[in-house]
Amino acid sequence: DVGFGRSVDKGATWISSVKGCPQGWSNTFYELAFDPYVKGRIYAACSSRHDIPHWTHLDANRESHKGGMCVSDDYGTTWKVLGTGLPPLPCTSIALDPKSPKGSLTLYTTLYEGGVYKSTDGGATWRKKSEGLGNAGNLHVMRVRIHPASGNVYCMITGFRREQEFGAPGGLWVSKDGGETWKDATAPQVFPRPTDFAIDPADENTIYINVSTIPHANIGGIYKTTDGGKKWKRLLTDEDFGKWCAPSYFEGSTVNLHPDDPRIVYVGTESHGLWYSTDAGKTWHVYESFPFGSPQNVAFEPGDHKRMVVTTFGGGAW
């Protein structure tokens, strides 16, 4: 909840850069997408509700929780609201279809408690595309991704907390018709509180999901399917993380695959540091040298995949 930071010297120094984003929305920039045709154009999912999907922000939206899509045409120096048709709800994710043509760029975004919306004109207009999406009582959508080979669209829904209960679970849904209809890709497995997912770019049937635990049920950890969701295997458990350090329960954040080798898997946690596997999840290790307990995302410099960048919750970028 500190807005958006921009660096023009490869991360040596940082500048707060939220000018033009509506007041409130600039509180949190959840995700960015870069236009493949227009140099300097960036799309951003913005929200006045911060900390999603942390425990404190899994309950219902309040009146003050707003958000939407913004766009910048000067590398993030200034911003403006993008398009019409989106309800004023926290905007948590954005996916850009790289195969869509210039002038009719296809974008997908997620609205927390609003569902998935799609634009086929570069964000000028948006339409809701949520038929079959989610379990009854839970549209806490927070991740949307497009598989690079098939073009299928995936949407992850995190938990909906009512005090200590998670009556309506989350999960992962897939659309094979551009968002027109959605199918639960995690059934019959129940994931009350997932936080992130990653799909093998070369094998769409291989998916990893990072799942936080819930009260009275130690179900947290990393799960994997190799058959598109028919069966799931638990690779890491609450107990595995608890053996490394306290607490004994698992709060997850991210799961990422290395861009050159999808067998290398990275797992971010809220209090157990940064974990990795080099054999597709068969064995796991901890980056003991990583100096902060709450990594949020792992990324790689486009021109140098040896340069790994980790963003954290409260500990800056490394």
Side-chain angles (χ1 to χ4, degrees):
D1 60 17
V2 292
F4 174 70
R6 182 172 61 97
S7 175
V8 295
D9 53 14
K10 295 186 177 181
T13 59
W14 293 87
I15 309 158
S16 178
S17 194
V18 297
K19 185 178 180 181
C21 184
Q23 187 175 6
W25 294 19
S26 60
N27 179 278
T28 301
F29 280 48
Y30 276 108
E31 193 165 43
L32 305 177
F34 297 85
D35 194 298
Y37 303 109
V38 182
K39 193 173 182 180
R41 180 171 292 174
I42 309 173
Y43 306 93
C46 304
S47 170
S48 63
R49 186 169 197 181
H50 53 75
D51 292 12
I52 297 171
H54 287 240
W55 173 267
T56 52
H57 286 271
L58 291 172
D59 56 355
N61 284 331
R62 302 188 183 111
E63 179 63 27
S64 61
H65 292 150
K66 307 293 185 182
M69 288 294 306
C70 283
V71 63
S72 172
D73 282 313
D74 52 14
Y75 299 94
T77 305
T78 59
W79 299 88
K80 62 182 179 181
V81 175
L82 177 65
T84 60
L86 292 178
L89 294 170
C91 194
T92 52
S93 184
I94 181 171
L96 185 154
D97 186 349
K99 296 180 181 179
S100 55
K102 185 179 181 179
S104 55
L105 199 64
T106 295
L107 301 166
Y108 296 87
T109 190
T110 54
L111 282 299
Y112 208 54
E113 296 184 17
V116 171
Y117 281 72
K118 179 182 181 180
S119 172
T120 56
D121 53 13
T125 57
W126 296 87
R127 295 185 182 276
K128 189 173 184 177
K129 299 292 182 180
S130 300
E131 182 180 337
L133 181 66
N135 293 308
N138 183 6
L139 265 185
H140 271 177
V141 290
M142 63 162 295
R143 291 274 191 277
V144 62
R145 299 283 185 266
I146 302 171
H147 191 269
S150 69
N152 292 333
V153 187
Y154 289 80
C155 176
M156 193 204 75
I157 299 178
T158 190
F160 198 124
R161 179 177 63 83
R162 293 173 174 84
E163 295 183 351
Q164 302 292 310
E165 301 299 325
F166 288 81
L172 182 66
W173 276 258
V174 60
S175 174
K176 297 183 178 181
D177 53 12
E180 295 299 322
T181 58
W182 295 87
K183 180 181 178 181
D184 189 348
T186 49
Q189 179 75 47
V190 177
F191 292 122
R193 191 186 165 200
T195 60
D196 197 14
F197 71 97
I199 306 175
D200 189 326
D203 177 12
E204 193 172 359
N205 287 319
T206 299
I207 306 171
Y208 299 83
I209 290 185
N210 189 323
V211 178
S212 291
T213 199
I214 61 173
H216 316 301
N218 285 344
I219 57 172
I222 305 302
Y223 293 78
K224 178 183 180 182
T225 181
T226 56
D227 58 11
K230 296 181 179 68
K231 295 180 181 179
W232 292 85
K233 182 179 181 180
R234 196 178 182 191
L235 305 180
L236 282 171
T237 68
D238 293 272
E239 291 75 17
D240 292 326
F241 290 103
K243 289 176 184 177
W244 164 244
C245 69
S248 59
Y249 58 87
F250 176 63
E251 297 271 347
S253 57
T254 188
V255 57
N256 306 87
L257 306 181
H258 193 281
D260 297 329
D261 186 352
R263 295 172 301 175
I264 304 177
V265 188
Y266 303 92
V267 168
T269 76
E270 289 192 18
S271 54
H272 294 93
L274 184 62
W275 293 54
Y276 70 99
S277 171
T278 58
D279 53 15
K282 294 177 182 178
T283 59
W284 293 89
H285 313 275
V286 183
Y287 279 111
E288 297 186 38
S289 63
F290 190 74
F292 194 73
S294 299
Q296 292 288 292
N297 194 47
V298 175
F300 294 85
E301 189 168 307
D304 180 7
H305 289 169
K306 290 183 178 181
R307 183 173 171 84
M308 174 176 166
V309 180
V310 181
T311 52
T312 71
F313 189 82
W318 298 79

